[in-house]
Amino acid sequence: MTSIAQYIVDAVYVVAIIVFILGLKAMSSPSTARRGIVYAGAAMLIAVVVTFLSPNLSNFAWIALGIAIGGGGGYYWAKVVKMTAMPQMVAIFNGMGGGAAAAIAAVELLTSMRGATAYLSVAGAIIGSISISGSVIAFLKLQDWMPSKAIVLPARQVVNFAVLIIAVGFGIYAVGWLHAEYLALFYTFLVLYGILLTLPIGGADMPVVISLFNALTGIAVGLDGFALVNGPLGDAGYAMVIAGVLVGAAGSLLTILMARAMNRSVGNVFFGAFGATEETGGPTGTLRPIDATDAAVLMEYAGEVVIAPGYGMAVAQAQQKVKELADLLEAKGVTVKFAIHPVAGRMPGHMNVLLAEAGISYDKLFDRDEINNEFPSVDVVLVIGANDVVNPAARRKGSPLEGMPILDVDKAKTVIVIKRGKGKGFAGIENELFYQDNCRMLYGDAQAAVGQLVTALKQS
Amino acid sequence: MAADLWTALFIAILTAFTGYEVISRVPTLLHTPLMSGSNFIHGIVLVGGIVALGFATTDLERAVGFVAVVMGAMNVTGGYAVTERILAMFDRAKKGGTKP
């Protein structure tokens, strides 16, 4: 049975796995990250090619067509999408992986439902289906194709749990009593569970959610791998076990690290319905507007200006203008620093990436921990489209934001906030900072507002 | 037969520790690219899709297997392109940073 071709296929899988691990390792350090994805890409390419060429395979035309449609579509979509949409692209492509894992499990179950392997397929189907339906909801929320606010249904914990139990029940019944016709119901209830699980999660928590679904897809792929090791091309199964579990473990750790950066637990994200509680007795007072000319003067005569960017800068694509503003201020002898909150924007590192794109040097970017003690001595803080991450309500007990680490910009001498309108932040909570005496509001789209500041500085 | 499953289980346990070790000290800055990169790596599911479709015998199996291949391929190419784009910006950043 083992032909020379088979040995070659196996050897290539071994090489691919080694290169995958080296690639992941390289991706965890800034200086080698770029190399890492190239390694992983090469590993993937040889693994896919060698599988395609392996002996005894049929349905070649269908496989080629599927790869062409999915591969071409995915590549094109990822290339044309705007940089700000990256978080939801990770979500949707992750969902595709989960869907593929669920579909593979379905094929395995349709082929044979005997032995322990069938139950492994059931497990792969459960996790893969939850991953695709949850990821699609995350995608729709981030894309603003559905409200990003937490949607909370009554008695959801009980309902969700019941839906999951019913789904698992159908799965076990289908396999244990060989009723393949119940598989459709099994999948339907799983998809429903994934949707119900994700709906109550507010937009601010999406990075953690996407990361968890990423880890889940990895585990689903690993479980599919288990189911395939006894099949006709068993070593493909081992490759899937290794790559899948690798992502499952790394992804789980990453999820915990991200949740920790927001001072939340993963359980709290999924079962706490964050952002759904309506706060009573919000901040009172008046908002004090400022025009661009006055704001420019304030900054020009400041000793130190700290810029705190957020999602508003990302949507408006204002990073180039921000760089211009920083250069002008520095030319006038003002020290300019950037304060980067770990979860500013929609994903950890989102701001670093955008500012880096604009060519702002790394040594001007400061993490929350590095700069937070400095704020009391800073003359002007310019907040560009950030909201929840600078809301001092997080320091107050009973606030829905309680405990979330924030940038202490409210302690600076003057705070200028560039904001599109009077709306609330992603978490749906009023920002107490805006009502403080030392805070001035500069209304407008981030691109336009920073542009006005640049013009005003050039004229002075 | 069951021996294969045990082998796979041993492999899985060792791999889990490897995955944990490999990224245990990663800066916040890299969380997003790393999530995107690991998202690409589970695109190995495409290999499973090819096997599932390649050995499918009924029309229903072929149809579901085809869906698996399409989705797996999207995971692979989309995941790669997204990660590439995110990391490409880090490169430009370094060049920008060295300018006076």
Side-chain angles (χ1 to χ4, degrees):
Chain A
M1 137 127 206
T2 316
S3 61
I4 291 177
Q6 191 68 55
Y7 277 122
I8 295 172
V9 172
D10 293 348
V12 169
Y13 283 142
V14 172
V15 173
I17 287 303
I18 295 169
V19 181
F20 265 136
I21 295 173
L22 291 177
L24 190 65
K25 175 80 194 158
M27 268 188 267
S28 60
S29 162
S31 53
T32 53
R34 188 99 191 259
R35 214 179 306 155
I37 185 66
V38 176
Y39 287 174
M44 186 71 76
L45 188 66
I46 58 171
V48 169
V49 168
V50 87
T51 309
F52 189 69
L53 299 178
S54 64
N56 308 328
L57 223 58
S58 51
N59 299 325
F60 272 112
W62 285 109
I63 297 173
L65 183 68
I67 293 178
I69 293 174
Y75 191 78
Y76 177 76
W77 195 12
K79 278 286 179 188
V80 297
V81 84
K82 272 193 280 179
M83 214 55 218
T84 43
M86 284 300 145
Q88 52 266 49
M89 297 316 283
V90 176
I92 197 71
F93 291 131
N94 172 57
M96 291 296 118
I104 293 166
V107 176
E108 291 305 306
L109 288 172
L110 289 169
T111 313
S112 156
M113 292 206 290
R114 297 194 184 275
T117 342
Y119 288 97
L120 290 166
S121 295
V122 166
I126 292 173
I127 298 177
S129 304
I130 294 172
S131 177
I132 182 175
S133 52
S135 297
V136 168
I137 297 294
F139 168 80
L140 293 174
K141 285 191 173 206
L142 287 168
Q143 189 78 5
D144 282 331
W145 287 355
M146 66 180 282
S148 68
K149 236 181 101 63
I151 299 166
V152 184
L153 306 168
R156 65 191 177 92
Q157 309 288 25
V158 180
V159 173
N160 289 5
F161 189 66
V163 170
L164 181 63
I165 291 296
I166 292 169
V168 173
F170 277 128
I172 292 174
Y173 182 69
V175 172
W177 284 264
L178 303 176
H179 283 292
E181 65 274 18
Y182 280 89
L183 288 176
L185 276 168
F186 169 57
Y187 277 99
T188 309
F189 273 87
L190 286 175
V191 168
L192 182 63
Y193 178 72
I195 294 171
L196 289 173
L197 181 71
T198 321
L199 275 180
I201 303 172
D205 283 334
M206 278 307 156
V208 180
V209 173
I210 298 172
S211 179
L212 184 76
F213 285 143
N214 182 39
L216 284 182
T217 303
I219 294 168
V221 172
L223 284 166
D224 278 1
F226 269 96
L228 288 174
V229 290
N230 288 322
L233 194 58
D235 295 294
Y238 288 117
M240 285 170 72
V241 167
I242 295 173
V245 173
L246 191 67
V247 174
S252 304
L253 178 63
L254 202 54
T255 310
I256 293 167
L257 291 176
M258 281 187 181
R260 204 179 286 157
M262 295 165 69
N263 200 22
R264 318 262 320 274
S265 73
V266 177
N268 186 242
V269 167
F270 275 85
F271 304 112
F274 180 78
T277 41
E278 279 299 325
E279 210 189 359
T280 46
T284 50
T286 47
L287 296 166
R288 297 169 192 78
I290 189 171
D291 65 33
T293 324
D294 291 348
V297 171
L298 269 177
M299 288 194 285
E300 191 181 349
Y301 292 99
E304 184 180 359
V305 171
V306 173
I307 299 177
Y311 188 62
M313 183 188 81
V315 240
Q317 293 284 316
Q319 58 271 24
Q320 288 295 345
K321 284 275 171 217
V322 170
K323 153 99 170 133
E324 214 179 313
L325 177 72
D327 288 348
L328 274 170
L329 286 171
E330 282 181 335
K332 291 175 188 289
V334 181
T335 309
V336 180
K337 289 179 182 172
F338 289 84
I340 312 291
H341 190 279
V343 294
R346 289 289 185 275
M347 282 195 148
H350 198 177
M351 291 299 116
N352 306 65
V353 164
L354 291 175
L355 293 173
E357 187 195 16
I360 289 164
S361 138
Y362 267 138
D363 49 343
K364 290 190 190 120
L365 310 187
F366 294 87
D367 278 348
R368 193 189 78 92
D369 298 336
E370 291 171 328
I371 203 163
N372 239 2
N373 295 329
E374 284 185 33
F375 281 113
S377 63
V378 172
D379 302 302
V380 178
V381 172
L382 179 65
V383 176
I384 306 176
N387 195 337
D388 298 328
V389 296
V390 294
N391 191 345
R395 286 196 292 260
R396 194 163 43 76
K397 261 200 160 346
S399 160
L401 284 172
E402 182 189 340
M404 177 171 154
I406 54 161
L407 292 169
D408 294 333
V409 299
D410 57 311
K411 292 180 178 160
K413 287 167 196 156
T414 309
V415 185
I416 301 170
V417 178
I418 295 179
K419 201 169 176 310
R420 246 195 314 206
K422 295 190 168 94
K424 294 171 183 175
F426 216 41
I429 297 155
E430 278 293 352
N431 195 331
E432 297 174 8
L433 168 72
F434 305 160
Y435 297 88
Q436 281 188 187
D437 288 339
N438 61 345
C439 183
R440 298 288 178 273
M441 309 298 292
L442 178 54
Y443 289 113
D445 163 84
Q447 168 105 353
V450 178
Q452 286 164 11
L453 289 175
V454 167
T455 319
L457 277 175
K458 277 182 182 160
Q459 282 164 357
S460 66
Chain B
M1 193 165 201
D4 292 341
L5 286 183
W6 282 110
T7 314
L9 184 63
F10 284 125
I11 293 174
I13 292 167
L14 294 174
T15 312
F17 282 103
T18 311
Y20 187 87
E21 273 309 311
V22 161
I23 70 145
S24 56
R25 277 182 306 278
V26 55
T28 321
L29 172 71
L30 282 178
H31 282 180
T32 298
L34 199 57
M35 174 157 76
S36 182
S38 57
N39 177 35
F40 166 69
I41 289 177
H42 66 52
I44 191 78
V45 73
L46 174 57
V47 165
I50 294 174
V51 173
L53 179 52
F55 291 94
T57 45
T58 68
D59 281 344
L60 182 59
E61 286 171 26
R62 261 191 287 274
V64 180
F66 182 72
V67 170
V69 170
V70 171
M71 285 184 162
M74 271 188 100
N75 185 176
V76 169
T77 59
Y80 186 84
V82 167
T83 314
E84 237 287 314
R85 282 184 67 183
I86 294 176
L87 289 173
M89 298 207 293
F90 282 84
D91 259 19
R92 245 178 290 155
K94 264 180 277 162
K95 278 178 219 134
T98 52
K99 267 186 247 160

